[in-house]
Amino acid sequence: MEHLVNPLVKEVQISGIRKFYNMVADIEGTISLTIGQPDFPTPLHIKEAAKQAINNDYTVYTHNAGYLELREAASEYVKDKYQLTYDPANEVIVTSGASEGIDVTFRTILTPGNEVILPGPVYPGYEPIIKMCGSAPIYADTTKNGFRLTADIIEQYITDNTRCIVLPYPSNPTGVTLSADELKDIAELVRGKDIFILADEIYSELVFDQKHVSIATYLKDQTIVLNGLSKSHSMTGWRIGLLFAPVAISQHILKVHQYNVTCASSISQRAALAALTAGKDDALPMKSEYALRREYVYNRLQAMNLEIVKPNGAFYFFVKLPEGFTSSLEFCLKLVKQEKVAVVPGDAFSSLGEGYFRISYAYSMETLKMALDRIEAFLLKNN
């Protein structure tokens, strides 16, 4: 019966990140720097709020868009943090993680034959959904521009078929982000065109050297903002995403969301309410620790003479392969075989990621030291 499966689905590949993680998971003694998941526990007060929600029978369907109280808190949160203004009644949707937000957004705005501009290299979660919508992902090469998708690069890729530009900043896998001036330039380029901006800002609370700015500040009418609590509050398994868009767009996204999941988990929504109110600054101590880890990893990689762009957000380094290696998969397999350290091959993040590998530093300092010692030993052996 497989021949009856939707061919667009059959073409989809498992994420290269997970594929490599699964490939090396059973190698005993391996230190993994592969997964972008905070190593901090969910803050206690958030877990207590979830327990209380169960005890108080918050175990039924919510409004399709989420509890109004939570949407009000989310609206207040982005206004306080990023000076964005959205009406909680009809411009905020609570999704089942930011991943569902990506899915329902693309299925709302894309039609067959559309094109979506993505910065390459980029998180692999966009391309499959774009293709399942019958649209085409168009990768804009950012490797010679510090991994930043700026207006001058975007302009080269815009065609009559362009329907959306994805701005995933801070970036997975590179950790870079855009400045306010760069965002203003993009806004001016796109303003008035029949092009949406999908601003994936899931790492917005993990920006180190500048204040996070959203392009929605300058181009709200054409922008869909995705955020969530997975990275900021160490709530990956709770599956709470937050989608913000003008009502002209959000009213249609809500229909797709409704028929997709009905609503996000009621218990997780009550936990999210605690996160966005009493815990609105929960990310700050985590960010301080990530900043220390970033400096440590940066100094170690520099001492190994590896070519890197210093990240200013998220918790990743995207590292150029050392001389002597031409395949990112070959490098990563050899590293895990010889020294039992797992990192992600760069080609997991599109063909423009070939020639690089990704390190996640969402791990303890002790783990990072052990892994980097092994990477250093590997480079000395294979010099």
Side-chain angles (χ1 to χ4, degrees):
M1 300 297 285
E2 187 181 5
H3 67 285
L4 300 178
V5 172
N6 183 340
L8 294 177
V9 175
K10 289 173 74 172
E11 290 175 8
V12 169
Q13 300 296 313
I14 299 299
S15 159
I17 305 171
R18 286 288 176 176
K19 188 183 294 184
F20 191 78
Y21 174 83
N22 295 337
M23 192 183 301
V24 302
D26 294 331
I27 300 177
E28 189 175 347
T30 296
I31 300 174
S32 177
L33 303 183
T34 57
I35 301 299
Q37 176 167 263
D39 66 322
F40 301 97
T42 302
L44 181 61
H45 72 99
I46 296 174
K47 293 188 284 190
E48 291 299 328
K51 295 175 188 177
Q52 195 65 42
I54 294 171
N55 292 336
N56 291 340
D57 294 324
Y58 283 99
T59 54
V60 297
Y61 294 130
T62 74
H63 187 288
N64 293 128
Y67 287 118
L68 178 58
E69 190 180 2
L70 175 55
R71 285 180 278 141
E72 289 171 341
S75 178
E76 189 61 33
Y77 183 84
V78 294
K79 183 177 181 181
D80 178 56
K81 296 277 187 178
Y82 316 123
Q83 293 72 58
L84 299 177
T85 303
Y86 289 96
D87 186 342
N90 52 26
E91 295 185 326
V92 182
I93 302 172
V94 183
T95 61
S96 294
S99 296
E100 195 233 337
I102 295 170
D103 178 54
V104 295
T105 295
F106 282 147
R107 287 202 284 144
T108 300
I109 67 173
L110 297 181
T111 56
N114 288 157
E115 295 175 351
V116 179
I117 297 173
L118 299 156
V122 71
Y123 168 67
Y126 308 109
E127 177 181 319
I129 303 169
I130 293 167
K131 286 184 172 180
M132 284 190 283
C133 291
S135 298
I138 305 298
Y139 288 100
D141 188 350
T142 65
T143 58
K144 297 176 179 62
N145 193 43
F147 302 121
R148 296 175 352 268
L149 183 62
T150 48
D152 57 327
I153 295 177
I154 291 170
E155 193 169 18
Q156 300 171 40
Y157 293 88
I158 290 178
T159 72
D160 291 341
N161 295 321
T162 303
R163 179 56 53 85
C164 181
I165 301 163
V166 178
L167 295 181
Y169 293 104
S171 161
N172 173 10
T174 68
V176 305
T177 193
L178 300 182
S179 68
D181 286 341
E182 289 169 330
L183 293 170
K184 287 178 187 175
D185 289 343
I186 295 171
E188 288 309 307
L189 173 67
V190 176
R191 192 182 311 280
K193 293 182 171 68
D194 292 335
I195 297 173
F196 292 100
I197 299 287
L198 175 56
D200 186 345
E201 302 179 6
I202 192 69
Y203 294 98
S204 61
E205 280 297 277
L206 303 179
V207 178
F208 305 115
D209 302 321
Q210 63 195 65
K211 184 176 175 60
H212 175 75
V213 179
S214 174
I215 193 169
T217 308
Y218 312 112
L219 195 68
K220 179 180 176 180
D221 288 349
Q222 292 172 238
T223 299
I224 299 116
V225 177
L226 293 180
N227 214 310
L229 303 179
S230 290
K231 315 300 182 179
S232 60
H233 290 75
S234 196
M235 293 177 66
T236 52
W238 299 78
R239 309 314 301 136
I240 290 293
L242 301 168
L243 186 151
F244 304 88
V247 64
I249 306 170
S250 64
Q251 65 178 324
H252 299 294
I253 294 176
L254 182 60
K255 291 182 287 187
V256 182
H257 165 75
Q258 173 188 344
Y259 290 113
N260 193 20
V261 299
T262 302
C263 63
S265 158
S266 59
I267 302 303
S268 293
Q269 286 192 54
R270 301 308 296 185
L273 180 59
L276 292 176
T277 52
K280 72 175 185 176
D281 291 325
D282 280 348
L284 296 182
M286 300 184 209
K287 183 169 79 167
S288 296
E289 179 60 28
Y290 288 135
L292 294 174
R293 296 176 188 178
R294 179 188 65 148
E295 290 303 315
Y296 175 73
V297 176
Y298 179 69
N299 291 333
R300 289 294 306 273
L301 294 175
Q302 277 203 314
M304 297 177 207
N305 295 315
L306 290 169
E307 186 178 326
I308 45 177
V309 173
K310 188 175 184 180
N312 53 7
F315 34 61
Y316 307 106
F317 278 87
F318 206 57
V319 187
K320 195 167 183 62
L321 293 182
E323 290 186 13
F325 290 93
T326 56
S327 161
S328 57
L329 179 59
E330 174 203 4
F331 173 86
C332 293
L333 286 174
K334 194 169 184 179
L335 174 62
V336 78
K337 182 178 179 181
Q338 288 190 6
E339 297 295 336
K340 294 189 176 181
V341 177
V343 294
V344 181
D347 63 357
F349 305 96
S350 83
S351 61
L352 288 166
E354 180 55 81
Y356 298 84
F357 62 94
R358 190 194 75 174
I359 289 175
S360 168
Y361 58 91
Y363 295 89
S364 70
M365 197 69 86
E366 180 184 8
T367 298
L368 292 171
K369 182 181 186 308
M370 290 172 59
L372 289 164
D373 286 347
R374 294 185 187 185
I375 292 173
E376 186 172 24
F378 174 78
L379 295 177
L380 289 172
K381 289 178 188 175
N382 292 275
N383 189 356

